[in-house]
Amino acid sequence: MKLTLATTLGFATTALTAAVPHTKRGAAISVTPHDSFSSSVGVLGCKINTDRVAYWPTPVSCAGVCVRVDAKGRSVFLLKIDTSGGAHDISYDAYNYLVTGQGAAENPIMGGPIEATYEDVDMSECAGLLSNANGKLGFAAANSMNFISSCPAGTWVGDNYSLFNIANSACTLGHDEECHLDLAVSNQPACPHMLGEQSELTTAPVWNKVYGTGVSVKGQ
Ligand SMILES: *[C@@H]1O[C@H](CO)[C@@H](O)[C@H](O)[C@H]1NC(C)=O
């Protein structure tokens, strides 16, 4: 029903995001560091811990976006909310932690791919990475409907998304206010300000840790 709806709304349907099977335990990958937050599905950097993100080749799944990566006897939980061209990138801070046991700000390193394993895990394992007070995953209301509408009720994302009137993943444009989607009324989210309005937003900065130094710089 949601997929039909997406067509009605004029969004490109991305049906395959809804039914990505969970990986078997401990699939082998080679991970590399990524130092600038982005999300192909419109997750807002100011609503999550951007030091714990996975940028992977597989589509973002409606069933859940929490993965556990193990390497060198350590593990991290990551939000898999972006797609890459082929690499298994993870946030620089998470990479730095797997290699050294310390964060990128404390002990920044540079390095190549490391051998790791990963598995999809229950979203409860990633609860601490969501900075939204309501425990939901925050999306940009104006440009995430393609993905959201591909996630049926009963999937984790379908039941646990929230929409904000913030226009970009770095949270520098828009209004930090919640929007509501009531499909009985409209196929567009309703927000206190006009949907997608691009005022300068300075209250919800997203910080990236620069590769090699661990210095925090504000995302653009
Ligand atoms: C949505 O999140 C709540 C609270 O974390 C959880 O109990 C529920 O199972 C989630 N919904 C789905 C479909 O996973």
Side-chain angles (χ1 to χ4, degrees):
M1 182 209 176
K2 283 274 171 139
L3 296 174
T4 315
L5 181 63
T7 311
T8 313
L9 301 183
F11 301 123
T13 51
T14 50
L16 42 72
T17 55
V20 174
H22 273 202
T23 46
K24 65 180 191 295
R25 182 167 275 271
I29 51 172
S30 166
V31 303
T32 36
H34 186 110
D35 76 349
S36 185
F37 174 70
S38 59
S39 169
S40 56
V41 293
V43 171
L44 296 165
C46 50
K47 303 298 176 187
I48 62 159
N49 179 348
T50 55
D51 282 334
R52 292 291 181 271
V53 174
Y55 305 85
W56 289 4
T58 48
V60 178
S61 171
C62 294
V65 297
C66 189
V67 295
R68 174 183 161 144
V69 173
D70 287 84
K72 300 186 184 291
R74 285 181 271 271
S75 65
V76 287
F77 294 100
L78 306 170
L79 296 169
K80 189 169 97 58
I81 51 172
D82 197 82
T83 49
S84 70
H88 285 86
D89 280 359
I90 67 174
S91 298
Y92 174 45
D93 188 75
Y95 170 90
N96 205 96
Y97 172 76
L98 288 176
V99 176
T100 69
Q102 291 175 293
E106 294 80 56
N107 179 22
I109 55 139
M110 299 177 90
I114 57 169
E115 297 312 308
T117 60
Y118 82 96
E119 60 188 291
D120 292 315
V121 294
D122 193 85
M123 278 303 294
S124 60
E125 304 280 11
C126 281
L129 304 180
L130 307 178
S131 48
N132 234 346
N134 60 12
K136 296 180 186 267
L137 185 59
F139 289 83
N143 51 26
S144 63
M145 292 314 297
N146 185 5
F147 177 63
I148 297 285
S149 61
S150 78
C151 293
T155 61
W156 192 90
V157 174
D159 284 2
N160 287 294
Y161 71 87
S162 61
L163 299 170
F164 290 85
N165 198 8
I166 296 176
N168 58 338
S169 288
C171 302
T172 61
L173 296 171
H175 300 273
D176 190 1
E177 61 188 16
E178 231 184 314
C179 305
H180 297 280
L181 184 63
D182 182 352
L183 289 164
V185 177
S186 168
N187 60 17
Q188 286 203 328
C191 313
H193 291 86
M194 190 179 79
L195 175 66
E197 208 270 320
Q198 301 201 351
S199 297
E200 189 185 0
L201 176 64
T202 56
T203 54
V206 173
W207 298 97
N208 292 312
K209 291 196 172 86
V210 176
Y211 182 59
T213 68
V215 170
S216 286
V217 295
K218 210 173 142 191
Q220 302 291 322

